[in-house]
Amino acid sequence: MSFKAAAIQMCSGVDPVRNAADMARLVRDAAGQGAAYVQTPEMTGALQKDRAALRAVLRDEASDIVARTASDLAKELGIHVHVGSTAIALEDGKIANRGFLFGPNGALLARYDKIHMFDVDLDNGESWRESAAYTPGSQARVVSLPFAEMGFSICYDVRFPQLFQAQAVAGAEVMTVPAAFTRQTGEAHWEILLRARAIENGMFVIAAAQAGVHEDGRETFGHSMIIDPWGKVLASAGGTGEAVVTADIDLAAVKAARGKIPNLRNARDFSLEKVEAPATGGVAA
């Protein structure tokens, strides 16, 4: 089984209507290149540091313009459209960082809320507290599509290999990692983490990213990419601006990689003991 996948790179601003229009243009471009599955980045709908301003433009899931536009595109183009994520208003006043997968008839096939919150303190004073505004998800899922078993993650989730392994063990052949990686962390870790998750699970990884300097002042790393189960980068974009990267996904490569190195099957349960070394009372000669 094989199919063509596309990862769309965007530089989303603060206006969901404009971002939805940009997404539609890029999705049509990807479909024109033959993609049967198209993924957009994390926070496709809006990147906005100001939490009050963000809440002012948010809608619930039923009214969200990005989700509605993606559903319409999937039906119009006869493809699978995956909104990597967009901010969705919840009834309790908090926000969900939520991804949506729509099928060729426009129907919602799956939703996924980002599980791991980006609460970090980086160099040069860069600090983020995603948990202050967002409600974390608690449900991982693998979706059986006509062309692949697909697992889900969003951005910071990529640093938690247990999430990927659990989905691989459940049958996932393709893992999705839409993201808005900061430039600082992206330069250090983006490609390394993505290739590691692909290699250790023998799966394809598709990662659509935000790229460039955004209206709210943040800078994201870009370099959207598609990686095969052996860790080879099949397609990659640059670090700024819009892009559409595509690759042919041949699931025989999953079986081949897992056959050569069956680490998922060879994994063993184990116990862990922490041992306190006794003080020697002196310095060894």
Side-chain angles (χ1 to χ4, degrees), residues 180-260:
F181 250 60
T182 68
R183 182 187 59 79
Q184 184 177 168
T185 58
E187 287 177 344
H189 300 147
W190 172 245
E191 183 175 330
I192 295 169
L193 286 168
L194 292 173
R195 294 180 70 189
R197 297 297 87 85
I199 293 166
E200 66 198 10
N201 294 293
M203 58 168 54
F204 285 92
V205 169
I206 304 171
Q210 296 281 357
V213 178
H214 300 261
E215 282 184 287
D216 70 347
R218 82 182 74 195
E219 186 175 1
T220 53
F221 183 64
H223 295 87
S224 301
M225 59 182 64
I226 301 174
I227 302 166
D228 80 2
W230 204 245
K232 179 182 178 182
V233 177
L234 300 178
S236 179
T240 59
E242 295 179 345
V244 175
V245 297
T246 66
D248 292 322
I249 307 298
D250 184 351
L251 295 182
V254 175
K255 183 177 181 180
R258 291 176 177 176
K260 295 171 188 173

